[in-house]
Amino acid sequence: MQLFSIFGDPVSHSRSPLMHNSVFKNCNYNACYTRTHLEDGSRLKETFFELGLSGANVTVPHKEAAFNACDEVRGFAKTVGVVNTLINENGKLIGYNTDADGFMYAIKEFQEIKKILILGAGGTAKALASRFLQEHIEVNVINRSEGRLNYFENIGCTTYTWQTFLQTDYDLVVNTTSAGLKDEELPAPLDIINTILNNTSYVADAIYGKLTPFLKEAKKRNLIYKDGADMLLGQGVLANELFVNKTLAKEKIKNAMQKSFLL
Ligand code: NDP
């Protein structure tokens, strides 16, 4: 039996085991998916091989460490330097990124997106910003601290800290910070959140499984919003295709994975 896992800190909230096990069970694929709490990202590679894994997902805060741990990185992950899916290919660690395409899948019903504001500047923000730029969408990024913004300036985004933020209109505002994941924090001070939400058409949050304080503010204003569940499904289907080495049809994976959302 093949073994897969998700690495993260925290990791107990992750629905990935339910999602992937639902595919393995419903499609009679001989594999099992577990979760691994990893505090030190530099131990990712040795832990992966110690556990004898065939593949894994990586979540907060280890996606950049995962990129550095790989023997080879393929596809979009190479552009962004962020890996969320690992495959054991004959003892070599191969890295992919399925988050960005998962998010594009999630927002496909949002119309006419030309200008986006991303809250946060971590691994998820990098993946989304690069993917939006590929679609010729104007990307703005606001982050709590300045250090991580250089990357975004270099690829052509307009960047702000909380202190330098200047308001304009956006079509979509996306929270990619972990504020609200395990706490009740907003991703920026309330006055900034108020201004942002008063000037956008759509709102999205990468966090799933709860109405974050950020989405509560969007709901109060009757804005069209979505949490990270569809993004989770989108990235999960693409990751599972890699896990099973494309031996299962994408539609079959998606249907089986969706069943886990009812659990
Ligand atoms: P990273 O650790 O790489 O980045 C976290 C970002 O959040 C940083 O910009 C950090 O700012 C900011 N941040 C953290 N705490 C706060 C706070 N209290 N207030 C304001 N900003 C804060 O994380 P990832 O990009 O890997 O993940 C981010 C979130 O997206 C997580 O909640 C994760 O669960 C979710 N996610 C969901 C997915 C899905 O499928 N739905 C897929 C991928 C991620 P600073 O630079 O100042 O530290």
Side-chain angles (χ1 to χ4, degrees), residues 26 29 36-37 40 47 49 61 70 107 128 135-136 166-167 216 219 224 228 234-235 237 249-250 253:
N26 285 286
Y29 191 88
T36 309
H37 181 210
D40 179 0
T47 312
F49 285 112
C70 286
I107 61 161
L128 297 193
E135 299 291 321
H136 308 293
L166 295 173
Q167 176 55 41
K216 281 182 190 154
K219 190 177 178 188
I224 299 174
Q235 64 77 30
V237 170
K250 190 185 245 150
I253 294 174

Side-chain angles (χ1 to χ4, degrees), residues 56 84 130 134 142 177 208:
N84 79 321
S130 298
Q134 278 184 351
I142 178 170
T177 76
Y208 57 86

Side-chain angles (χ1 to χ4, degrees), residues 52-98:
L53 299 178
S54 298
N57 287 120
V58 183
T59 187
V60 61
H62 299 315
K63 292 183 189 185
E64 280 151 330
F67 174 85
N68 293 324
C70 286
D71 295 304
E72 187 187 333
V73 176
R74 293 188 187 148
F76 185 68
K78 266 201 295 208
T79 313
V80 285
V82 178
V83 159
N84 79 321
T85 303
L86 297 166
I87 301 291
N88 179 349
E89 204 173 276
N90 306 317
K92 293 230 179 311
L93 201 58
I94 313 294
Y96 296 86
N97 186 301
T98 68

Side-chain angles (χ1 to χ4, degrees), residues 242-255:
L242 293 166
F243 292 158
V244 302
N245 203 10
K246 304 222 167 170
T247 54
L248 299 173
K250 190 185 245 150
E251 259 326 280
K252 237 177 142 182
I253 294 174
K254 188 178 155 197
N255 291 340

